[in-house]
């Protein structure tokens, strides 16, 4: 059984993919800049081979890719910038020229010139990947359910507020990281089924009012939606402000029923399913 190199293995998507591959008996080589980090140590304990690698160090990528059959690739502009993300993603694609299959996670609608910096950076990587000769699959996850409970969100929830810069009745496509991982592993296991395809992923479309109702039930205290002005968001991040402006004015158009019918193997968790599993008593 061929080894899969998983990039971003100590992050949310990469970590979920690595763990699921290991659970299904696949050899995994986890790429990380810090092999001694707690997340890397947990992957090693779970059975992954840990490889040091840096997207800006071609020799480290070449060493990490030696002998692998496929790659799960995820990139991020956060902590860097979109141009750096594009450069690093292209470097990984170029270094992986001898593998049998690359599964790259991008973002929903990122292939459409959204004007969102961290979507457009992924579009450039997608285009470079498509111009190459390595068989590829691109996954375009919708907004993550799982990353909506950071410190900023928790502070609001303690005051009974879900702060989300969207109209209360505007549906937002959402997906759980576990379901992204499940589709990615399915694509890695069944390359003939997925090669040359781009799939936008969502478990459902839910409005902020619907999210607040689900949180009210899960937490046991009333939660209401508050829409912060985009100007406030822009002071924190022009990139995120552009994303929420796009979600408000254009939105994503994933055909959720068709997607779920095509991929019945996937659980497709909903927002309410995920928030019910959060240990709110410990967090709030």
């Amino acid at each position: 059984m061929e080894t899969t190199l998983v990039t971003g293995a100590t992050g949310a998507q990469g970590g979920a993919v690595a763990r699921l591959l290991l659970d299904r008996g696949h050899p995994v080589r986890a790429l990380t800049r810090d092999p001694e980090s707690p997340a890397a140590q947990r992957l090693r304990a779970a059975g992954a081979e840990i490889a040091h690698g840096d997207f800006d160090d071609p020799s480290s990528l070449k060493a990490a890719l030696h002998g692998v059959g496929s790659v799960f690739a995820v990139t991020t502009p956060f902590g860097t910038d979109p141009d750096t993300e594009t450069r690093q993603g292209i470097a990984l694609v170029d270094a992986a020229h001898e593998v049998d299959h690359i599964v790259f996670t991008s973002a929903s609608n990122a292939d459409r010139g959204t004007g969102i910096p961290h979507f457009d950076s992924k579009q450039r990587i997608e285009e470079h990947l498509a111009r190459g000769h390595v068989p590829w699959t691109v996954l375009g996850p919708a907004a993550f359910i799982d990353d909506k409970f950071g410190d900023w969100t928790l502070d609001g929830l303690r005051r009974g507020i879900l702060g989300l810069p969207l109209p209360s009745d505007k549906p937002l496509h959402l997906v759980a990281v576990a379901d992204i991982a499940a589709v990615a592993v399915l694509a890695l296991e069944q390359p003939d089924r997925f090669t040359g395809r781009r799939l936008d992923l969502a478990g459902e479309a839910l409005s902020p009012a619907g999210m607040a109702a689900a949180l009210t039930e899960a937490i046991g205290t009333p939660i209401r939606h508050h829409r912060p002005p985009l100007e406030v968001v822009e002071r924190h991040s022009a990139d995120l402000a552009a994303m929420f402006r796009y979600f408000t004015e254009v939105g994503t158009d994933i055909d959720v029923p068709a997607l779920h019918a095509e991929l019945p193997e996937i659980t497709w968790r909903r927002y309410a399913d995920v928030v019910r599993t959060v240990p709110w008593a410990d967090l709030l």
Side-chain angles (χ1 to χ4, degrees), residues 17-105:
V17 170
R19 290 189 296 272
L20 185 55
L21 284 168
L22 290 168
D23 288 347
R24 294 177 64 83
H26 298 283
V28 169
R29 184 176 296 162
L31 187 73
T32 177
R33 286 178 296 179
D34 184 4
E36 301 308 316
S37 71
Q41 292 301 313
R42 287 192 292 271
L43 284 173
R44 180 180 282 117
E49 176 189 355
I50 306 300
H52 173 264
D54 189 320
F55 289 166
D56 288 322
D57 180 359
S59 63
S60 72
L61 292 180
K62 181 178 179 180
L65 285 158
H66 179 71
V68 306
S70 57
V71 174
F72 171 78
V74 59
T75 59
T76 177
F78 301 113
T80 56
D81 59 80
D83 288 340
T84 298
E85 179 186 22
T86 297
R87 185 187 74 249
Q88 292 180 341
I90 288 174
L92 175 64
V93 169
D94 288 347
H97 61 93
E98 294 183 352
V99 305
D100 298 324
H101 188 201
I102 297 174
V103 175
F104 173 61
T105 55

Side-chain angles (χ1 to χ4, degrees), residues 170-202:
K170 178 71 175 181
L172 176 68
H173 281 108
L174 300 165
V175 68
V177 168
D179 291 337
I180 303 169
V183 178
V185 170
L186 194 63
L188 289 163
E189 290 179 333
Q190 301 180 27
D192 291 346
R193 179 180 173 188
F194 290 93
T195 291
R197 299 193 60 196
R198 188 187 194 283
L199 294 170
D200 281 345
L201 307 180

Side-chain angles (χ1 to χ4, degrees), residues 11 25 81 83 87 99 107 150 161 172 194 217 224 230 233 237 241 250 263 269 271-272 278:
D81 59 80
D83 288 340
R87 185 187 74 249
V99 305
I161 295 170
L172 176 68
F194 290 93
E217 182 175 348
R224 64 178 179 86
L230 281 177
V233 179
S237 169
V250 181
L263 300 177
R269 295 160 179 83
Y271 186 90
V278 175

